[in-house]
Amino acid sequence: MTKKKSDSAYIFKASPKHEFSEYQKNIFRDIAKGTGHTLVIARAGSSKTYVLVEGSKFIPRGKRSLFCAFNKHIQEELRSRLGSYVECFTLHSLGLRAIKLRFGNVEVDYNKCWKLIATFIDEKKDIPLIINLCKAVSLCKATLSDIPSQIEEIICAYDIDLCETPVEEFIKYVIKALRLCKEQTNAVDFDDMVWLCFVYRINVGKYDYVLIDEAQDLNKAQIELALSAVKPDGRVMAVLDNFQAIYSWRGAHPDILELFRERLKPKELPLPICYRCPKKIVQLAQTLVPDIQPYEKAIEGEIINITLNDLQKYAKPGSYVISRYNAPLIKSCFSFLKSGIPANILGRDIGDNLSSLVRKSKKKTIESFRAWIIKWEKKEKENLLAKYPRASTDTIADKAECLHILCDDADTMEELKDNIDNLFKDGDEKGVVLHSSIHKIKGKETDDVFVLADTLRDFSQEENNIKYIGFTRAKKKLYLVSKVLEKEEL
């Protein structure tokens, strides 16, 4: 950043990707000379992380600065791009550093919660119960919930299986596990890295500038940690896309934009230009998010309607096949593999969850397991609706359908378990036709994206957000895949 001798306007060095837009320049000016807190409303493909990195170069000298990266992979990448004057941490690594300073020699043990619960629940007999207690404890830490009424809301809202344990007893187990996690400070798991800072009011450091990337995905505990890091007279610059907020199911704050507006009283700056997607795809995205804009030099691109029967004709390794739900992905992935085309489903954790239900059933044959699935689905839906009559049972139905489809290609329970292990993998993405839920594919991009259009819904804002994210993964072609094309499309 330099100044002309004749005036006070900044001259911005051209970006290697493209010339800086006025929107980007306004952000840089705000970092350099602005006051107070700032929210950057950044739409899909707007290079928001890149803009934050470039913007960090305009932080005034002598200011202590923190860049909050979304995950460890991004943190490691950014450390080589950020100046030495900017500290870069994930919120978890920031918390872990502070916890070690507070408690001394602390071991990272990702199985800490499981081990503590196993001290009062028989690990040999009740693995499914321990799995679901760990899930409940994790969500309690994320949402800073620790009283019975809050825990009961979490159990119902996040579809946690009580494993035939009375709800009052299950809640007591959760409270006991939270207490044990709090008391054992010589070891921390992933959730503890943020949660314990709140519990013990640990100082994670004080910064003049706190830059927060992907702020729409933060849960309550992460928000508190990030805001605790700013000095009383410091500045927060949070970058978010409120239309990409789809993680309320795992504890992300359901209305992050309003929360930041209330807590920070910030100015708001737009970052609406999508540099990832072709113009036609941006036009489609505008039906959901009107203020997203195409890059003037972007290609036109294509939006193509096809049927499921033609999917293998067009999808090649490196392509994404994405869906609102998981069950349709299993059918498609099996089909690709049977045709000799490399394919897998993103989400090892999804496979683990399905495997836990197989273990829970204790069934020895596929026929008896199918009968168990039907009873399990019916009971889970009844329990959920008894507590929350207006709740969606889609997640329960999706799990049941996943298991039924997996059973179609298995003659024995061992084959069923192997199918789950073989389908759900994380790793190679370019050498396979990558199948994924839209939730899992968020943050990724590729040239050709195939959206299973029949799985999309539009009955809520979050469902529209899911569609928007799905459409904007494509860099060249977007295929809308339906079982049968409408007459006007034939």
Side-chain angles (χ1 to χ4, degrees), residues 316-320 333 337 341-348 422-436 441 444 446:
K316 308 299 179 187
S319 301
Y320 295 164
C333 194
L337 291 172
I341 302 170
N344 66 259
I345 303 174
L346 184 66
R348 179 65 263 174
N422 292 332
L423 285 178
F424 292 90
K425 297 179 180 178
D426 296 336
D428 180 27
E429 296 182 4
K430 294 183 179 179
V432 299
V433 177
L434 184 66
H435 290 65
S436 176
I441 209 69
K444 298 180 182 293
T446 196

Side-chain angles (χ1 to χ4, degrees), residues 74-122:
I74 293 174
Q75 175 195 10
E76 292 172 351
E77 179 185 337
L78 291 180
R79 278 181 167 169
S80 65
R81 295 164 55 191
L82 290 164
S84 58
Y85 50 88
V86 181
E87 297 180 42
C88 183
F89 289 94
T90 64
L91 288 169
H92 288 83
S93 60
L94 180 70
L96 179 60
R97 181 184 69 168
I99 290 169
K100 287 182 175 180
L101 288 172
R102 174 72 172 270
F103 295 112
N105 186 25
V106 176
E107 174 191 1
V108 175
D109 182 358
Y110 293 111
N111 294 316
K112 171 186 172 180
C113 187
W114 181 289
K115 291 176 180 177
L116 292 176
I117 292 173
T119 62
F120 58 88
I121 299 292
D122 190 337

Side-chain angles (χ1 to χ4, degrees), residues 46-77:
S46 61
S47 301
K48 49 186 173 288
T49 303
Y50 168 75
V51 170
L52 266 189
V53 171
E54 291 298 306
S56 69
K57 298 174 183 177
F58 298 90
I59 294 174
R61 290 184 180 181
K63 298 295 184 181
R64 191 180 183 206
S65 304
L66 170 67
F67 192 115
C68 299
F70 180 61
N71 58 39
K72 187 175 181 179
H73 173 74
I74 293 174
Q75 175 195 10
E76 292 172 351
E77 179 185 337

